[in-house]
């Protein structure tokens, strides 16, 4: 081990600080494994990071040339700041430590022209001084991949199982909605809600009520609660829907808004997983009442940062600004990685027998990853009330594919400043996302049904509102990693929840260890004590 704490060998090396990687880093660390966790970026979160307003704005609104000139601009501003601070110190020294009578200068007038457009003034506190600007920008926590947590889901269980994560403050999300006939409706999750829901016809209300009664009463160990004549492992979900008399629309919103499937391929597979997913939705809903979702009050970046901290206090070493240079193999098996030393920046080889990485570290390597699609996502900053969501401070809205003559749903995520500390007062962060089905010349057009739903249709933007479009390739690993011991995660999909990401965590854990990841069975070791 050198002075930086870097060892010559680790049980597990994790590359990338996306939430998937950070959860696995934390899990293996609390189980006593020696973990090295690196990321090429200066911030935690990778593809799923949350950025402050300044960095988010520059990411989407500045050109590469403007970003390149930013260092010169920052240096010029710092020089002016230092000169002004020196004048203030000299004045106070000459005036008995008082600034009375000092003519303060608006430093904005002294700065050279910014190389790029500035953040909209309405997005920060009115009258904010130059010195206050960084603090105002840091009050924003804008997620690049906005997603909620299921209140009783696996990720929430991970957090509850590790004491160091208990102080993350979560708030209930205001509602879970599905769109039909151009209007958002609350997703029913109880028999009483099924009876009053405008989502389904009178006849379907009865059938839906019976289905939800079955879900609420199902107990695996009690055969009397099972569906007579059907087996969760032998019969398909399509057969289960048919047995309850549920029509195609009712089946669709159950499968997409409750079981949270991204397409209909699940219909002809065994019903066990879909039924378990609906049970999870109903149980999560029962925890709070308004919706099955929760969200960190101070934004998503708390999650990767906290899981990384858990890894660190259990002996893991974390290094940002540390790119992966090369994967070292011998006879087709992983033996280590080459990285730039976190402090000296000299190339070093670290031994390991297990590597976990996000797919963006293997771009262009067709032997490791394959492209499976593209997601288009719009992150919108708005200051108006979304129609149909009066009094709702946060929400998930799903527009089912059948309502738009599409194959894939459109997902809407919304959190506002009412209770969440993620944006300036009076604003909301809204994401609209879907899988790209047509050409990629104008992928944002596929989001139009979502834009219309949030009041931004036909390119409309209100005063002080903005829309930021991102298109991301979706990747999955080519192999399971067992041959070479390189385990690659999946890209984050278009959904507005983390259930698919936690499925990936469980899948990678099982591929590495050969056992299922059971949260209750985590062998949490005592934190490593620093040497005095």
């Amino acid at each position: 081990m050198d002075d930086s704490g870097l060892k010559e060998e680790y049980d597990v090396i994790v590359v990338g600080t996306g939430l998937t990687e950070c959860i696995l880093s934390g899990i293996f660390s609390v189980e006593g494994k020696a973990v090295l966790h690196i990321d090429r970026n200066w911030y935690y979160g990778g593809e799923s990071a949350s950025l402050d307003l300044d960095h988010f704005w520059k990411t989407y609104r500045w050109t590469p040339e403007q970003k390149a000139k930013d260092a010169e601009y920052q240096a010029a501003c710092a020089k002016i700041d230092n000169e002004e601070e020196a004048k203030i110190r000299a004045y106070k020294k000459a005036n008995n430590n008082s600034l009375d009578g000092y003519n303060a200068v608006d430093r904005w007038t002294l700065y050279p022209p910014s190389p790029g457009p500035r953040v909209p003034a309405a997005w920060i506190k009115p009258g904010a001084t130059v010195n206050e600007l960084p603090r105002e920008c840091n009050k924003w926590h804008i997620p690049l991949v906005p997603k909620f947590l299921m209140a009783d889901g696996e990720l929430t269980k991970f957090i509850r199982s590790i004491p160091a994560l208990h102080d993350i403050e979560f708030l209930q999300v205001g509602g879970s909605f599905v769109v039909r006939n151009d209007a958002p409706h609350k997703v029913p999750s109880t028999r009483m809600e099924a009876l009053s829901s405008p989502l389904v016809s009178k006849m379907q209300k009865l059938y839906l009520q019976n289905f939800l009664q079955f879900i609420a009463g199902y107990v695996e160990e009690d055969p009397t609660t099972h569906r007579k004549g059907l087996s969760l492992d032998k019969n398909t979900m399509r057969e289960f829907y048919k047995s309850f008399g549920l029509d195609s629309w009712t089946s669709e919103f159950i499968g997409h808004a409750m079981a949270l499937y991204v397409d209909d391929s699940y219909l002809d597979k065994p019903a066990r997983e879909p039924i378990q997913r609906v049970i999870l939705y109903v149980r999560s809903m029962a925890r709070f009442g308004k919706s099955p979702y929760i969200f960190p009050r101070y934004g998503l970046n708390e999650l990767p940062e906290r899981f990384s901290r858990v890894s660190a206090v259990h002996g893991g070493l974390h290094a940002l600004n540390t790119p992966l240079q090369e994967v070292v193999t011998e006879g087709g098996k992983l033996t280590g990685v080459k990285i730039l030393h976190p402090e000296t920046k000299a190339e070093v080889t670290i031994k390991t027998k297990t590597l976990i990485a996000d797919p963006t570290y293997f771009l262009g390597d067709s032997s490791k990853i394959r492209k499976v699609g593209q997601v288009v996502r719009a992150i919108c900053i708005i200051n108006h009330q979304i129609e149909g969501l009066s009094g709702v401070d946060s929400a998930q809205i799903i527009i089912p594919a059948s309502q738009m003559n599409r194959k894939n749903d459109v997902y809407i995520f919304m959190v506002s400043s009412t209770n969440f500390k993620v944006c300036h007062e009076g604003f909301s962060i809204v994401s609209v996302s879907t899988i790209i089905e047509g050409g990629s010349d104008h992928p944002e057009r596929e989001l139009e049904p979502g834009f219309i739903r949030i009041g931004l249709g036909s390119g409309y933007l209100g005063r002080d509102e903005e829309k930021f479009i991102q298109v991301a390739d979706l990747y999955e690993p080519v192999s399971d990693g067992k041959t070479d011991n390189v385990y690659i995660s999946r890209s984050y999909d278009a959904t507005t929840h983390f259930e698919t990401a936690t499925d990936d965590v469980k899948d990678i854990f099982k591929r590495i260890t050969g056992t299922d990841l059971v949260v209750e069975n985590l062998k949490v070791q005592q934190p490593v004590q620093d040497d005095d």
Side-chain angles (χ1 to χ4, degrees), residues 213-485:
Q213 183 177 4
F214 162 73
I215 291 294
Y218 184 85
V219 178
E220 179 68 25
E221 297 78 15
D222 184 359
T224 63
T225 66
H226 298 184
R227 188 66 171 169
K228 188 175 181 180
L230 292 177
S231 165
L232 293 183
D233 298 311
K234 295 179 181 179
N235 293 98
T236 67
M237 195 61 191
R238 190 186 300 276
E239 291 171 325
F240 262 78
Y241 286 147
K242 185 178 180 180
S243 77
F244 282 97
L246 301 174
D247 62 18
S248 59
W249 161 248
T250 309
S251 301
E252 183 179 19
F253 91 69
I254 291 173
H256 291 237
M258 298 181 74
L260 302 177
Y261 282 103
V262 298
D263 57 37
D264 288 334
S265 60
Y266 79 96
L267 285 171
D268 296 310
K269 296 177 181 178
R272 178 170 296 279
E273 183 184 271
I275 292 295
Q276 289 175 336
R277 285 183 173 217
V278 177
I279 290 173
L280 169 61
Y281 184 97
V282 170
R283 287 178 178 171
S284 294
M285 189 79 182
R287 290 184 69 87
F288 296 108
K290 290 183 181 178
S291 86
Y293 300 110
I294 56 176
F295 191 75
R297 186 174 190 180
Y298 293 92
L300 285 179
N301 236 35
E302 279 204 274
L303 299 182
E305 288 180 4
R306 291 300 189 91
F307 273 102
S308 296
R309 191 179 305 170
V310 166
S311 173
V313 300
H314 286 86
L317 179 66
H318 290 250
L320 300 178
N321 288 314
T322 305
L324 173 68
Q325 299 294 95
E326 183 183 342
V327 176
V328 182
T329 60
E330 185 176 319
K333 285 283 188 180
L334 173 75
T335 60
V337 298
K338 290 183 179 180
I339 64 172
L340 296 184
H341 192 285
E343 293 185 0
T344 67
K345 301 306 178 184
E347 187 174 88
V348 294
T349 300
I350 309 297
K351 297 178 182 178
T352 188
K353 294 181 180 179
T354 302
L355 176 67
I356 301 170
D358 89 44
T360 63
Y361 285 85
F362 292 93
L363 296 179
D365 188 346
S366 59
S367 69
K368 288 287 188 287
I369 60 173
R370 57 174 163 250
K371 182 178 173 180
V372 293
Q374 285 184 305
V375 60
V376 57
R377 184 179 287 108
I379 299 175
C380 310
I381 309 298
I382 67 173
N383 55 16
H384 67 266
Q385 179 71 52
I386 295 177
E387 184 180 356
L389 299 187
S390 178
V392 177
D393 68 344
S394 51
Q396 174 188 259
I397 306 173
I398 296 178
I399 308 179
S402 67
Q403 300 291 295
M404 307 171 287
N405 294 317
R406 287 176 52 84
K407 296 178 182 177
N408 293 277
D409 301 341
V410 170
Y411 298 89
I412 299 172
F413 162 106
M414 184 275 285
V415 290
S416 72
S417 60
T418 303
N419 291 307
F420 296 91
K421 303 296 184 181
V422 294
C423 57
H424 187 53
E425 185 178 353
F427 286 86
S428 297
I429 298 173
V430 182
S431 167
V432 184
S433 58
T434 193
I435 299 296
I436 295 176
E437 296 179 2
S440 57
D441 291 342
H442 300 283
E444 67 275 11
R445 292 177 180 173
E446 302 198 29
L447 299 176
E448 187 63 16
F451 290 149
I452 293 172
R453 174 89 299 278
I454 66 173
L456 298 181
S458 302
Y460 172 80
L461 281 174
R463 184 177 179 181
D464 300 322
E465 296 183 333
E466 291 281 351
K467 203 185 285 182
F468 305 86
I469 307 295
Q470 55 172 276
V471 176
D473 293 333
L474 299 176
Y475 296 100
E476 68 178 13
V478 170
S479 69
D480 61 11
K482 295 178 181 178
T483 301
D484 58 3
N485 294 329

Side-chain angles (χ1 to χ4, degrees), residues 128-143:
T129 65
V130 171
N131 289 339
E132 292 174 324
L133 187 62
R135 185 168 69 248
E136 290 299 310
C137 287
N138 286 338
K139 291 179 180 178
W140 288 73
H141 305 283
I142 307 174

Side-chain angles (χ1 to χ4, degrees), residues 6-163:
L6 187 65
K7 301 177 183 178
E8 294 182 355
E9 184 172 359
Y10 288 87
D11 297 321
V12 180
I13 293 180
V14 182
V15 181
T17 55
L19 184 58
T20 301
E21 289 73 33
C22 288
I23 293 173
L24 287 164
S25 171
I27 287 173
F28 282 114
S29 293
V30 300
E31 289 206 322
K33 303 293 185 184
V35 176
L36 171 64
H37 197 166
I38 65 173
D39 195 300
R40 57 178 168 242
N41 298 310
W42 57 268
Y43 53 82
Y44 286 100
E47 301 298 302
S48 59
S50 290
L51 300 182
D52 66 75
L53 180 57
D54 181 59
H55 287 98
F56 179 83
W57 180 260
K58 290 176 180 178
T59 297
Y60 285 95
R61 287 294 185 260
W62 283 27
T63 66
E65 294 76 17
Q66 291 167 338
K67 294 175 186 176
K69 292 180 179 179
D70 189 43
E72 299 175 12
Y73 172 75
Q74 296 293 343
C77 294
K79 181 180 178 182
I80 292 170
D81 287 342
N82 291 336
E83 291 172 350
E84 285 300 303
E85 292 299 326
K87 290 179 182 178
I88 290 173
R89 287 194 298 272
Y91 188 90
K92 291 174 69 175
K93 185 176 181 180
N95 292 273
N96 198 25
N97 207 34
S98 172
L99 285 175
D100 292 343
Y102 180 76
N103 294 321
V105 178
D106 182 357
R107 297 186 192 181
W108 283 117
T109 63
L110 302 178
Y111 289 166
S114 172
R118 286 177 174 164
V119 169
W123 292 8
I124 57 178
K125 184 180 73 174
T129 65
V130 171
N131 289 339
E132 292 174 324
L133 187 62
R135 185 168 69 248
E136 290 299 310
C137 287
N138 286 338
K139 291 179 180 178
W140 288 73
H141 305 283
I142 307 174
L144 300 182
V145 183
K147 290 179 181 287
F148 294 121
L149 290 76
M150 292 287 282
D152 206 40
E154 289 300 313
L155 178 52
T156 309
K157 291 179 181 178
F158 292 150
I159 293 170
R160 289 203 300 260
S161 70
I162 301 174

